[in-house]
Amino acid sequence: MTPPLAPGYPDYKANQMIADLYSVKYQKKFYYTSPIPLMTNSDFAADINKRGDKVVIPVRPTITVKSYPLGGTMTMENPKAAPIEFPMNRSNYFYFGIDKITKKQMLDGSKFIDECTLDGGEQVNTEIAGEFLDDIVGDAHASNKGNSAGVTSGNIKLGTTGSFPTFTSVNVLKYIIACQVVGDEQNWPDEGRWICLPSLVAGCIQLSDIKDVSMTGDATTPLRHANLGKYGKMTILESNQVKKVTDGASTCFHMPFGHISALGFASTIIESVYFEKFEHTCGEGMRVTNLYDWATVNSKGLGILYGTADLGLD
């Protein structure tokens, strides 16, 4: 705030005799973190260069084991399994420019294009993660969601519309283990399991007994970053883009959990162009086009935990 002027003292600022001051450093921006790399399988090789290209994932064949009677004959089979394919049909871009005279007048205009490009990349990740977490909710296997979850037990309550749990620091770890048991009954490999939670539910975990490092097997406390560490067999991820809905008087979340083999994901930049000059204006800029897509390649490896949460604050 400008100090008040004494009577008769000239206003040098208003007369533009005192210049505005600008920092050479840019203000920090807050971005969503993307959990996609820890939730999906991207081990396949693909040369993606245009919309409509397919990602093809080979599938391990299932071999039939047969009884062998003494003196009998054996029947040979030819192993085969259809590959999983999904097309690359999603894309987004950012495109910006600035007049060179304006850039010249900036205190440190040389950094402006770089800062805008960095922001564009972060916004691309944000856009993709929001679409992804919303889209996969409907792909979970019937035995991995609802109040009759469990392909073997059929009585694990993971919540459904109108009938859902309220997660607290007291009970939240029980539900993490419930998701683990659902995975056990589907024969998921122990490594590569994950659950993605909104900050409110993650906060309940951080107020629970998981704050004891011995419960995660980590060398340091799990209260450290968006990847909260591991509880049981489940790696706990956090994202504020988990799908939320209004259910009665409550805000509920569709929290996906699963194994990385359940979801295939691919993303690539197909165009990155720096414009040193434009045709009709004295300016420069940047255009980046990103091609991406995903598919649920094994619904048995994907589940949904549904409910609301209460931090228990007075």
Side-chain angles (χ1 to χ4, degrees), residues 32-231:
Y32 289 114
T33 56
S34 175
I36 293 177
L38 297 174
M39 296 171 61
T40 61
N41 168 31
S42 56
D43 291 340
F44 41 78
D47 184 14
I48 304 163
N49 54 43
K50 64 181 184 298
R51 195 177 180 91
D53 279 357
K54 285 185 178 180
V55 173
V56 180
I57 306 174
V59 175
R60 178 183 293 174
T62 298
I63 302 300
T64 305
V65 177
K66 305 171 184 177
S67 297
Y68 174 67
L70 291 176
T73 59
M74 297 182 181
T75 303
M76 185 183 71
E77 65 177 326
N78 299 118
K80 61 181 179 180
I84 297 168
E85 301 181 359
F86 65 90
M88 300 290 291
N89 282 333
R90 303 174 192 258
S91 57
N92 54 25
Y93 74 94
F94 60 87
Y95 185 20
F96 64 86
I98 182 174
D99 189 280
K100 289 190 175 182
I101 296 175
T102 302
K103 179 183 173 185
K104 186 71 175 178
Q105 291 173 333
M106 292 179 175
L107 189 61
D108 192 4
S110 62
K111 291 184 178 180
F112 185 76
I113 297 293
D114 290 342
E115 291 292 333
C116 290
T117 303
L118 289 172
D119 183 75
E122 294 288 354
Q123 300 297 350
V124 163
N125 290 336
T126 295
E127 184 76 14
I128 293 175
E131 288 183 57
F132 174 82
L133 290 171
D134 185 79
D135 184 67
I136 64 173
V137 167
D139 293 341
H141 191 272
S143 294
N144 301 347
K145 61 183 179 180
N147 287 329
S148 301
V151 69
T152 302
S153 58
N155 63 357
I156 300 174
K157 294 178 171 58
L158 298 183
T160 189
T161 301
S163 179
F164 51 84
T166 297
F167 307 110
T168 68
S169 61
V170 176
N171 68 8
V172 66
L173 295 180
K174 295 179 182 179
Y175 284 95
I176 301 298
I177 294 302
C179 294
Q180 174 183 298
V181 172
V182 167
D184 289 339
E185 293 192 4
Q186 288 281 22
N187 298 313
W188 297 354
D190 289 350
E191 292 300 316
R193 300 189 189 194
W194 52 265
I195 183 168
C196 188
L197 308 174
S199 294
L200 185 61
V201 180
C204 292
I205 290 177
Q206 291 173 305
L207 290 171
S208 73
D209 288 337
I210 202 172
K211 59 181 176 290
D212 177 0
V213 295
S214 65
M215 297 188 71
T216 64
D218 289 346
T220 58
T221 174
L223 311 184
R224 58 191 183 275
H225 47 54
N227 181 346
L228 297 181
K230 201 169 185 178
Y231 185 66

